[in-house]
């Protein structure tokens, strides 16, 4: 999950075609559909979910393909139509179609999901870094909790000071933390099998589908919805294509194929060397690297790769730590959704107050890891909460595109989704099913009490995704609107 840079900056960095003069004296930069495909791949692909799907072995291919067809492509196509017709992101899209309260709910969910996302991301960082210092710490709750709290607040401090050097960390992270380790992992796996070593998990055709033991056998697929989140954000670039109707679908199909390769091949490589029963959802990637490096007698490389993965994850976190919060604060200044104390920016332009409030909740969640005797299960629960909160925003987006097609057909769109009702309907149903399946504990949850799982997952979704935004809407006051945006009729 990532955010995109300013469109103009992205186009220049991607090597846009020569500028074309327009009637208003400005110039329009074009990019090729191949460039957009690579930009989209960079914004979505990651190695972090690989251990989750590696548990399924060969069936990981099917479990990646299914959500790609029913969720990834619909979000990309729908996002392109909405972005090419209305600027302002998901708040504008949903507000135009369903009203401002639901528009606020959509943008709130994009912010609130980070509250649950940061603990799961930093749990991955903690488990990965454990292989640099002491692998036994990877499943140690107090260690993971300390890393979450210390690293998160360090990130807040850096972001609140407006450090410009973090701007380029996203591209650095893609190369150092995704492409190089991914190619290395798959390459080691191919050589490993080429030496005649048996795969740790079955790779025969009869394992193409996961064994059916009820919904619990499929629940880890929910994580893929978070893995694919953000695909729609690249719809903002659709107007930079010379022939959007033809080139955008081509670009998205290529990007989908590349994303699938980056997701699937590392997952299979992990399955080749690690039995599913021994895989950690947080440290599985490092488990596989260590197993390969030990096999080839280059165990010292484990620490090197661990540092690369940690740097990439931290760089990605820093590049967008204040992004969702800043967007919410700017919107709240105009509409009065947040109390004035949470609308303040510091001298460096960072929304420090709301980041601190967010950090308090993140800290409380992180501390829960200290009392967990199963870091993988805690990681999974917070990952599910993240997905479910984010899915609320997607549900509203799918409804919005169909609604706007009927109520605002006059608005010029650079791209129109073919059979929009079917495409959006497919994405909507897939999101509802994923949201429901998220309440089923995975088989890897073990013998832990069901009530604890439901309390964390259901409570997180209810409180962070619904109760808090409903309360903010219910109790907001006209005086919460920033003075720069008040109308004479607004009550003070």
């Amino acid at each position: 999950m990532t955010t995109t840079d300013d469109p103009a900056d992205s186009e220049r960095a991607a090597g846009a075609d020569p500028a074309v003069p327009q009637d208003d004296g400005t110039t329009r930069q074009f990019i090729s559909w191949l460039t957009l495909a690579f930009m989209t791949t960079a914004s979505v692909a990651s190695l972090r979910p690989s251990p989750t799907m590696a548990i399924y072995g060969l069936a990981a291919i099917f479990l990646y393909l299914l959500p790609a067809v029913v969720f990834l492509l619909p979000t990309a196509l729908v996002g392109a139509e909405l972005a090419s017709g209305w600027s302002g992101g998901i708040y504008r899209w949903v507000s135009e179609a369903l009203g401002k309260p639901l528009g606020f709910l959509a943008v709130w969910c994009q912010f609130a999901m980070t509250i649950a996302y940061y603990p799961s991301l930093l749990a991955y960082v903690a488990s990965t870094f454990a292989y640099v210092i002491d692998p036994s710490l990877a499943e140690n709750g107090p260690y993971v909790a300390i890393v979450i709290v210390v690293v998160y607040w360090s990130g807040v401090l850096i972001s609140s000071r407006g450090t410009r050097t973090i701007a380029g960390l996203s591209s650095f992270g893609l190369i150092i933390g995704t492409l190089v380790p991914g190619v290395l992992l798959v390459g080691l796996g191919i050589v490993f099998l080429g030496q005649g070593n048996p795969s740790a998990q079955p790779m025969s055709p009869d394992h193409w589908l996961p064994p059916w033991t009820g919904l619990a056998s499929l629940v880890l697929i929910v994580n893929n919805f978070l893995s694919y989140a953000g695909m729609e954000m690249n719809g903002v670039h659709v107007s930079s294509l010379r022939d959007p109707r033809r080139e955008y679908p081509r670009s998205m199909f290529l990007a989908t194929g590349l994303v699938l390769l980056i997701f699937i091949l590392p997952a299979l490589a992990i399955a080749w060397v690690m039995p599913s029963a021994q895989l950690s959802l947080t440290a599985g990637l490092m488990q596989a690297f260590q197993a390969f490096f030990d096999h080839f007698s280059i165990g010292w490389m484990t620490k090197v790769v661990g540092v690369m993965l940690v740097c990439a994850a931290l760089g990605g976190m820093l590049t967008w730590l204040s992004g969702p919060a800043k967007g919410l604060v700017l919107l709240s200044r105009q509409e009065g959704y947040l109390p004035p104390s949470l609308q303040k920016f510091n001298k460096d332009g960072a929304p420090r107050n709301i980041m601190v409030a967010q950090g308090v909740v993140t800290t409380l969640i992180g501390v829960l890891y200290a009392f967990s005797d199963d870091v993988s299960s805690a990681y999974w629960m917070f990952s599910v909460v993240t997905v479910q909160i984010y899915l609320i925003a997607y549900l509203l987006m799918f409804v919005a595109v169909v609604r706007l097609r009927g109520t605002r057909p006059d608005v010029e769109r650079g791209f129109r989704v073919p059979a929009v009702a079917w495409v959006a309907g497919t994405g909507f149903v897939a999101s509802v099913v994923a949201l429901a399946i998220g309440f089923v504990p995975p088989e890897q949850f073990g013998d832990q009490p069901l009530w604890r799982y439901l309390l964390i997952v259901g409570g997180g979704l209810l409180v962070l995704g619904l109760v808090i935004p409903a309360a903010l809407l219910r109790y907001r006051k006209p005086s919460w609107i920033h003075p720069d945006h008040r109308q004479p009729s607004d009550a003070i």
Side-chain angles (χ1 to χ4, degrees), residues 1-3 42-49 108-126 144 148 151-152 178 222-230 233 263 282 309 312-322 324 358-359 361-363 365-366 369 378-390 456 460-461 464:
M1 183 191 63
T2 57
T3 57
S43 69
V44 176
S46 170
L47 295 180
R48 195 166 72 90
W108 168 266
C109 286
Q110 285 192 330
F111 162 75
M113 57 81 68
T114 64
I115 297 175
Y117 175 71
Y118 289 133
S120 62
L121 171 66
L122 294 177
Y124 160 79
V125 169
V144 172
I148 290 174
V151 173
Y152 177 81
T178 299
V222 174
N223 197 52
N224 288 346
F225 284 72
L226 177 63
S227 302
Y228 291 144
M233 293 181 182
F263 280 143
T282 53
L309 295 173
L314 294 179
M317 183 189 81
L318 288 176
T319 55
W320 56 274
L321 182 62
S322 65
Q358 177 187 18
V361 180
T362 300
T363 299
I365 295 175
Y369 277 90
Y379 168 84
W380 172 250
M381 286 186 284
F382 292 123
S383 295
V384 170
V385 173
T386 302
V387 174
Q388 292 186 314
I389 293 174
Y390 210 8
I456 294 176
L461 173 63
L464 293 177

Side-chain angles (χ1 to χ4, degrees), residues 73-84 245 248-249 398 401-402 405 413-425:
L73 284 175
T75 57
L77 296 174
V78 167
E81 173 164 335
L82 292 172
S84 65
R245 296 178 187 277
Y248 187 78
F398 288 129
V401 72
V402 177
R405 185 69 75 88
R413 297 149 165 90
F415 173 79
R416 286 178 176 264
V417 180
V420 65
W422 284 99
V423 173

